[in-house]
Amino acid sequence: MKTLTHRQQDVIEFIGQTIDNAGAAPTLREIAAHFRFRSVKAAADHVAALRRKGVLAGPPRRARALRIVDAVGDWATARALGRRLARLPVYGTIPAGLAEDRRQEARGCVAVDLDTLGIRPTPRTFALEVRGDSMIGRHIVDGDLVVLEHGKMPRHGDVVAALIDNESTLKTFVQERGRPPCLKAENPRYPKLHPVGELVIQGVMVGLIRKVKV
Protein backbone atom coordinates (compact mmCIF):
# COMPACT_ATOMS: atom_id res chain seq x y z
CA MET A 1 0.00 0.00 0.00
CA LYS A 2 1.15 3.53 -0.77
CA THR A 3 0.90 6.29 1.80
CA LEU A 4 0.12 9.84 0.71
CA THR A 5 0.44 13.17 2.44
CA HIS A 6 -2.77 15.08 3.12
CA ARG A 7 -2.05 17.46 0.22
CA GLN A 8 -1.30 14.56 -2.13
CA GLN A 9 -4.58 12.99 -1.01
CA ASP A 10 -6.40 16.22 -1.93
CA VAL A 11 -4.68 16.45 -5.31
CA ILE A 12 -5.40 12.84 -6.28
CA GLU A 13 -9.06 13.23 -5.28
CA PHE A 14 -9.36 16.41 -7.38
CA ILE A 15 -7.82 14.62 -10.36
CA GLY A 16 -10.22 11.70 -9.87
CA GLN A 17 -13.26 13.96 -9.61
CA THR A 18 -12.23 15.86 -12.74
CA ILE A 19 -11.79 12.61 -14.66
CA ASP A 20 -15.25 11.47 -13.53
CA ASN A 21 -16.92 14.77 -14.42
CA ALA A 22 -15.03 15.84 -17.54
CA GLY A 23 -13.70 12.57 -18.90
CA ALA A 24 -10.09 13.75 -18.71
CA ALA A 25 -7.61 14.78 -16.03
CA PRO A 26 -7.12 18.48 -15.22
CA THR A 27 -4.19 20.44 -16.62
CA LEU A 28 -1.38 21.54 -14.33
CA ARG A 29 -2.75 25.10 -14.53
CA GLU A 30 -6.16 23.88 -13.42
CA ILE A 31 -4.63 21.99 -10.50
CA ALA A 32 -2.61 25.06 -9.50
CA ALA A 33 -5.68 27.31 -9.75
CA HIS A 34 -7.89 24.92 -7.76
CA PHE A 35 -5.43 24.72 -4.85
CA ARG A 36 -4.22 28.33 -5.23
CA PHE A 37 -0.63 27.26 -5.69
CA ARG A 38 1.74 30.14 -6.39
CA SER A 39 3.04 28.51 -9.54
CA VAL A 40 2.30 25.76 -12.03
CA LYS A 41 5.57 24.17 -10.94
CA ALA A 42 4.04 23.40 -7.51
CA ALA A 43 1.27 21.44 -9.27
CA ALA A 44 3.87 19.68 -11.43
CA ASP A 45 5.87 18.72 -8.34
CA HIS A 46 2.78 17.14 -6.72
CA VAL A 47 1.97 15.23 -9.90
CA ALA A 48 5.59 14.02 -10.15
CA ALA A 49 5.49 12.82 -6.52
CA LEU A 50 2.24 10.95 -7.17
CA ARG A 51 3.82 9.32 -10.22
CA ARG A 52 6.78 8.19 -8.12
CA LYS A 53 4.42 6.67 -5.56
CA GLY A 54 2.70 4.74 -8.32
CA VAL A 55 -0.79 6.23 -7.97
CA LEU A 56 -0.67 8.28 -11.19
CA ALA A 57 0.25 7.02 -14.64
CA GLY A 58 0.15 8.26 -18.21
CA PRO A 59 2.38 9.79 -20.88
CA PRO A 60 4.90 12.35 -19.59
CA ARG A 61 4.08 16.05 -20.13
CA ARG A 62 0.47 15.22 -20.98
CA ALA A 63 -1.55 16.04 -17.89
CA ARG A 64 -4.88 15.50 -19.65
CA ALA A 65 -3.91 11.86 -20.24
CA LEU A 66 -3.17 11.11 -16.59
CA ARG A 67 -5.02 8.22 -15.01
CA ILE A 68 -5.25 7.14 -11.39
CA VAL A 69 -3.78 3.78 -10.45
CA ASP A 70 -4.43 2.57 -6.93
CA ALA A 71 -3.54 -0.39 -4.71
CA VAL A 72 -6.69 -2.10 -6.01
CA GLY A 73 -5.79 -1.44 -9.66
CA ASP A 74 -6.95 1.22 -12.10
CA TRP A 75 -9.26 3.70 -10.34
CA ALA A 76 -11.75 3.96 -13.19
CA THR A 77 -11.86 0.19 -13.62
CA ALA A 78 -12.42 -0.29 -9.89
CA ARG A 79 -15.32 2.17 -9.91
CA ALA A 80 -16.78 0.52 -13.01
CA LEU A 81 -16.73 -2.78 -11.15
CA GLY A 82 -18.68 -1.18 -8.31
CA ARG A 83 -15.85 -1.22 -5.79
CA ARG A 84 -16.05 1.26 -2.94
CA LEU A 85 -12.73 2.94 -2.39
CA ALA A 86 -11.59 5.03 0.56
CA ARG A 87 -8.40 6.50 1.96
CA LEU A 88 -7.64 6.17 5.65
CA PRO A 89 -5.23 8.41 7.56
CA VAL A 90 -2.09 6.65 8.80
CA TYR A 91 -1.00 8.06 12.15
CA GLY A 92 2.54 6.72 12.38
CA THR A 93 3.55 3.47 14.05
CA ILE A 94 2.57 1.56 17.16
CA PRO A 95 4.75 -0.92 19.07
CA ALA A 96 3.56 -4.52 19.19
CA GLY A 97 6.11 -5.34 21.82
CA LEU A 98 6.89 -3.48 25.01
CA ALA A 99 4.93 -0.28 25.48
CA GLU A 100 6.79 2.82 24.36
CA ASP A 101 6.51 6.51 25.13
CA ARG A 102 5.87 8.20 21.78
CA ARG A 103 3.64 10.67 20.01
CA GLN A 104 1.66 9.71 16.93
CA GLU A 105 1.87 12.01 13.92
CA ALA A 106 -0.04 11.80 10.68
CA ARG A 107 2.15 10.21 7.98
CA GLY A 108 -0.32 10.31 5.12
CA CYS A 109 -3.10 8.04 3.88
CA VAL A 110 -3.58 4.49 2.68
CA ALA A 111 -6.04 3.52 -0.05
CA VAL A 112 -8.35 0.55 0.64
CA ASP A 113 -11.10 -1.38 -1.11
CA LEU A 114 -13.89 -1.30 1.47
CA ASP A 115 -15.63 -4.42 0.17
CA THR A 116 -12.42 -6.44 0.37
CA LEU A 117 -11.57 -5.13 3.83
CA GLY A 118 -15.17 -5.53 5.02
CA ILE A 119 -15.48 -2.32 7.02
CA ARG A 120 -17.58 0.82 7.02
CA PRO A 121 -15.16 3.64 7.81
CA THR A 122 -16.20 6.73 9.75
CA PRO A 123 -14.34 10.00 10.40
CA ARG A 124 -12.87 8.17 13.42
CA THR A 125 -11.33 5.33 11.41
CA PHE A 126 -7.56 5.41 11.09
CA ALA A 127 -4.54 3.14 10.61
CA LEU A 128 -1.25 2.53 12.41
CA GLU A 129 1.81 0.61 11.24
CA VAL A 130 2.83 -2.26 13.52
CA ARG A 131 6.33 -2.50 14.91
CA GLY A 132 7.27 -5.67 16.80
CA ASP A 133 6.17 -9.28 17.26
CA SER A 134 4.05 -9.38 20.42
CA MET A 135 0.82 -9.98 18.43
CA ILE A 136 1.93 -12.84 16.18
CA GLY A 137 -0.58 -15.14 17.89
CA ARG A 138 -3.30 -13.04 16.27
CA HIS A 139 -1.47 -13.12 12.92
CA ILE A 140 -0.41 -9.47 13.26
CA VAL A 141 3.21 -9.05 12.22
CA ASP A 142 5.80 -6.32 11.93
CA GLY A 143 4.99 -3.97 9.04
CA ASP A 144 1.24 -4.66 8.98
CA LEU A 145 -1.23 -1.78 9.06
CA VAL A 146 -3.94 -2.18 11.68
CA VAL A 147 -7.18 -0.35 10.97
CA LEU A 148 -8.76 1.02 14.14
CA GLU A 149 -11.97 2.74 15.17
CA HIS A 150 -11.59 5.50 17.74
CA GLY A 151 -14.40 5.77 20.28
CA LYS A 152 -15.60 2.17 19.92
CA MET A 153 -16.15 0.39 23.24
CA PRO A 154 -13.69 -2.52 23.53
CA ARG A 155 -14.89 -6.00 24.40
CA HIS A 156 -12.96 -8.85 25.98
CA GLY A 157 -10.64 -10.28 23.31
CA ASP A 158 -10.58 -7.22 21.05
CA VAL A 159 -7.23 -6.02 19.72
CA VAL A 160 -6.74 -2.42 20.78
CA ALA A 161 -4.33 0.46 20.44
CA ALA A 162 -3.95 1.77 23.97
CA LEU A 163 -2.13 4.19 26.22
CA ILE A 164 -1.15 2.39 29.38
CA ASP A 165 0.37 4.74 31.95
CA ASN A 166 1.06 7.17 29.07
CA GLU A 167 2.87 4.60 26.93
CA SER A 168 1.40 3.33 23.65
CA THR A 169 1.05 -0.29 22.59
CA LEU A 170 -1.04 -2.72 20.53
CA LYS A 171 -2.41 -5.62 22.57
CA THR A 172 -5.48 -7.77 23.27
CA PHE A 173 -7.96 -6.18 25.67
CA VAL A 174 -8.70 -8.44 28.66
CA GLN A 175 -11.72 -7.81 30.87
CA GLU A 176 -12.22 -10.53 33.48
CA ARG A 177 -15.08 -10.47 35.94
CA GLY A 178 -14.21 -8.74 39.18
CA ARG A 179 -10.83 -7.52 37.94
CA PRO A 180 -9.68 -4.26 36.33
CA PRO A 181 -8.98 -4.50 32.58
CA CYS A 182 -5.46 -5.24 31.37
CA LEU A 183 -3.62 -5.85 28.12
CA LYS A 184 -2.39 -9.23 26.88
CA ALA A 185 0.35 -9.94 24.38
CA GLU A 186 -0.20 -12.76 21.88
CA ASN A 187 3.38 -13.96 22.18
CA PRO A 188 4.57 -15.87 25.27
CA ARG A 189 7.78 -13.82 25.31
CA TYR A 190 5.85 -10.79 26.58
CA PRO A 191 4.03 -10.32 29.91
CA LYS A 192 0.55 -9.01 30.54
CA LEU A 193 0.39 -5.28 31.07
CA HIS A 194 -1.51 -4.11 34.14
CA PRO A 195 -2.01 -0.35 34.45
CA VAL A 196 -0.55 1.26 37.53
CA GLY A 197 -2.51 4.43 36.87
CA GLU A 198 -4.46 4.91 33.65
CA LEU A 199 -5.50 2.75 30.70
CA VAL A 200 -6.88 4.68 27.72
CA ILE A 201 -8.18 2.86 24.64
CA GLN A 202 -7.28 4.86 21.54
CA GLY A 203 -8.90 2.53 19.04
CA VAL A 204 -10.37 -0.93 18.53
CA MET A 205 -9.05 -2.96 15.60
CA VAL A 206 -11.58 -3.47 12.80
CA GLY A 207 -9.29 -4.55 9.96
CA LEU A 208 -5.78 -5.54 8.93
CA ILE A 209 -3.76 -4.60 5.85
CA ARG A 210 -0.67 -6.61 4.99
CA LYS A 211 1.99 -5.06 2.78
CA VAL A 212 3.52 -7.75 0.61
CA LYS A 213 7.29 -7.51 0.32
CA VAL A 214 8.64 -8.17 -3.15
Side-chain angles (χ1 to χ4, degrees), residues 6-163:
H6 288 303
R7 178 57 78 186
Q8 289 169 352
Q9 161 75 17
D10 293 339
V11 171
I12 201 74
E13 288 185 355
F14 174 65
I15 292 173
Q17 290 169 0
T18 303
I19 292 172
D20 288 343
N21 296 332
T27 65
L28 294 178
R29 289 188 180 278
E30 289 171 339
I31 295 172
H34 179 82
F35 292 102
R36 298 182 180 178
F37 294 148
R38 292 184 178 181
S39 68
V40 174
K41 183 180 183 302
D45 289 343
H46 281 294
V47 168
L50 290 166
R51 282 180 177 275
R52 287 194 299 270
K53 290 189 175 183
V55 294
L56 272 183
R61 295 184 293 278
R62 291 181 58 190
R64 286 289 191 193
L66 288 172
R67 71 179 189 277
I68 297 177
V69 179
D70 208 276
V72 294
D74 183 85
W75 184 276
T77 301
R79 293 190 64 152
L81 292 174
R83 292 178 179 168
R84 297 179 303 123
L85 309 178
R87 296 180 191 275
L88 306 178
V90 180
Y91 290 113
T93 62
I94 189 166
L98 299 176
E100 294 183 12
D101 183 9
R102 64 174 63 192
R103 293 182 179 181
Q104 300 297 342
E105 297 180 357
R107 271 185 12 188
C109 298
V110 61
V112 297
D113 180 338
L114 299 181
D115 295 320
T116 299
L117 198 57
I119 66 169
R120 293 183 179 180
T122 74
R124 293 186 167 193
T125 308
F126 65 100
L128 293 170
E129 185 173 356
V130 175
R131 284 286 175 259
D133 61 357
S134 73
M135 296 300 289
I136 57 175
R138 296 290 291 266
H139 308 290
I140 302 170
V141 301
D142 187 83
D144 284 350
L145 288 174
V146 286
V147 181
L148 302 131
E149 186 74 19
H150 176 68
K152 184 177 180 179
M153 187 66 67
R155 297 181 297 179
H156 177 76
D158 282 343
V159 174
V160 298
L163 276 176

Side-chain angles (χ1 to χ4, degrees), residues 150-197:
H150 176 68
K152 184 177 180 179
M153 187 66 67
R155 297 181 297 179
H156 177 76
D158 282 343
V159 174
V160 298
L163 276 176
I164 181 166
D165 298 326
N166 293 317
E167 296 184 342
S168 63
T169 191
L170 184 78
K171 295 289 182 289
T172 297
F173 181 77
V174 176
Q175 178 69 77
E176 298 173 339
R177 183 175 297 179
R179 297 182 180 181
C182 65
L183 301 177
K184 176 190 174 187
E186 301 294 347
N187 182 331
R189 292 175 49 209
Y190 297 90
K192 278 187 179 180
L193 300 177
H194 298 270
V196 175

